[in-house]
Amino acid sequence: MHNGDPAKASYQQGVANLCLHGPILVFETAMATQRISQAMDRIDRALARIETQAALTRHSPAGDTASGSALAARHEALRSSVIATVAQLDALIEGLGK
């Protein structure tokens, strides 16, 4: 250590420890980034499937009124479920960023 200066010795020891653990920190950060990226990809694919089904539903014949209202109720229930799930995913992703 330099000239017996305890503050300098402590700093140098801290830097040495950081250098030893630096690759682990980088690896953990890379893994967290990869998990977030994979989650975002899954969300994008799920939204694409939902959009496709919504487009198909809009362009298909309505059928009778009873099945149309049942379909509308199912659609609203699914829509509410998707909104809640996306909100949960947003909270999880936000928590990973902290």
Side-chain angles (χ1 to χ4, degrees):
M1 307 299 158
H2 291 284
N3 301 329
D5 184 357
K8 199 173 239 183
S10 176
Y11 171 78
Q12 289 174 341
Q13 184 61 40
V15 170
N17 285 339
L18 181 60
C19 290
L20 290 174
H21 298 293
I24 294 170
L25 295 174
V26 170
F27 178 73
E28 288 176 356
T29 302
M31 291 300 292
T33 302
Q34 183 181 11
R35 286 193 309 263
I36 291 170
S37 178
Q38 289 171 344
M40 295 299 289
D41 288 342
R42 287 192 303 272
I43 291 168
D44 286 340
R45 288 191 306 270
L47 288 174
R49 289 191 304 269
I50 291 167
E51 289 171 351
T52 299
Q53 289 302 315
L56 291 172
T57 302
R58 277 194 301 268
H59 297 296
S60 66
D64 64 350
T65 306
S67 67
S69 61
L71 179 62
R74 285 180 50 214
H75 171 76
E76 189 56 38
L78 177 60
R79 186 171 188 270
S80 297
S81 174
V82 168
I83 289 170
T85 302
V86 169
Q88 289 174 340
L89 288 171
D90 285 342
L92 287 173
I93 291 169
E94 184 178 319
L96 288 174
K98 292 182 181 180

